[in-house]
Amino acid sequence: MSRRAHGQIRRSQAVTTWGPGALLDLPRYAVIVGGLDTWPQPSDPEQVHELRLARKLRTLTGVPTPRLYAPPADSNDPREPTRGIGVWRFPEWFVVQEKGGGEERERSRRLVHRKALDERSRFEGRQVVPTRFVRACPKGHVDDLDWRGFVHDAEDTCRRQLWLDERGTSGDLADLVVRCECGKSRSLYEATQLELYPLGNCSGARPWLGRHAREKCKLPSRLLIRTAANAYFPQVLSVLSIPERAAAVQTAVAELWEDLQIVDDAAGLAFLKKKPKVAATLAPFADAEVIEAIREAKHGADEERPVKQVELDALLAAPEGYGDDVPVDPNFHARRLPEHAWRRGRLADGIEAVIQLHRLREVLALTGFTRFEAVTPDIQGEYETDVERAELALEPSWFPAVENRGEGLFLQLRGEAVADWLSRPAVEPRLNQLAAGHKLWAKDRKSKRIFPGGPYVLLHTLSHLLIQSLAMRCGYPASSIRERIYSDEATGRFGILLYTGSPDAEGTLGGLVQQARHLEAHLAHALRAGALCSNDPICAQHTPGEESMESRWLHGAACHGCVLVAETSCEMRNDYLDRALVVPTLETAGVAFFGTSE
């Protein structure tokens, strides 16, 4: 592993896109991002403090005292040592860039292993490029294809030259043939047919953790294209920083944890408070508060509430005002907009309140990853504790995290209006169709997740429609506006948070917050856009609970022409959407929460 930098990514991408185990093409090499053991040793200035997130990580990963550190930052000072993220060259099989040879529609190139290359990474003086095919399994294991074993029988010991024949210009697998000079050949398309068991068992290889970090795995290997979208799905846990006194005590304890981790009682605390730094940091808090925070840091809280329930409590507790009545808290500054400032007519009768978040702080931590199939948090913002994920290190003790600071707006639906909507005779059959679609989706998956419920699908679809409307006036592209859906049927509280943020700034410019005053105009535009799709009547007639070739089990009336948005914006990867629940469509008119806008 060379110490010289071979490429650059943003710090946030090391958490959300190119974390440990990701397959990445650098300018000169194809690599796999190394595990946390290859990253620079984390330092205190780079620590991210968010105790609520740390407690969730402890429950999720089993790490006793997980810490959060930002990915290393690049320095422009040539005198400072390089602090980069380690990567390993992967894959180790290459295709030789042959000169000339045959017609353009049909060409053959040799397949060679890394050990056959010279010191300039060439083969017989010719340049090589990494093969774009590897094998992997849903647990995250990834390895080179056994190219010789794929062409030959298990007992065949042939070591003659392998070739990759391309018999067309489409790049389709059916046009690619792996051939040996002994005369045997096999179409690469056969590698996709799992019932033939073409690639054998998964080798359990974890090259991001080192050459010898294999583990046992009984799953069949599957063909994976390195640059495909399903090659890496990060599992990112996200929380909003909510100001509360308990959180302030926990933050102070986290800052002093090197000293306070040995404290068990008031006498031990009193002894450590002889240090000026400890005494000054803990001065605002009573000893009992500090000891309780230390106990929770060691053993966990008696009952940890779901992420979104805590956030919803804080959002709905925001006082009324315009946000300029007190000094701004850079982590969380929210005010309930007076009703006369945003309500203009009857269109928004189903909306209870609009809250402006002038400042918010979101912390995201990478916990692991999967391949082939993404695992998303549930509607409470949490992952299932028994979900399988690939580890970021052999023995993880810390996790990469990034802070986003920005702004947003929150709208709350009236609980009574949602209850009335659910009681309509036409709504239940539609929700049963959506639930049947969820059941078909879950049939071939290990996930035990239950159907999120009609209110969640309603809120989620409305959120996507509003994102598209807000993007036209707020100054931010739709892909930079994110959502958090709050659906608490037990307490009758329902809301949507639409926000934007950046890890490279102290905040944003207020363009999204100010759109709260024009909520009814955005709602009217969203309902008009949702009423008719460019793919109607096909889109409107889609029924999720019926067997079809599309297998769009989690969509009602929803497609790329109407409510699907960039996956960077959506918390559910564009699943659980149905505009028929929001506004009347060509096919379904009696189940919409809102009537047709004028």
Side-chain angles (χ1 to χ4, degrees), residues 300-315:
D302 295 333
E303 182 180 354
E304 188 70 28
R305 299 176 63 205
V307 167
K308 286 188 177 179
Q309 286 189 12
V310 178
E311 295 173 0
L312 186 57
D313 288 344
L315 289 167

Side-chain angles (χ1 to χ4, degrees), residues 364-386:
L364 302 96
L366 179 64
T367 65
F369 65 91
T370 57
R371 304 194 197 277
F372 293 109
E373 184 177 335
V375 178
T376 55
D378 61 20
I379 64 171
Q380 295 300 334
E382 302 191 351
Y383 288 99
E384 298 170 4
T385 55
D386 59 347

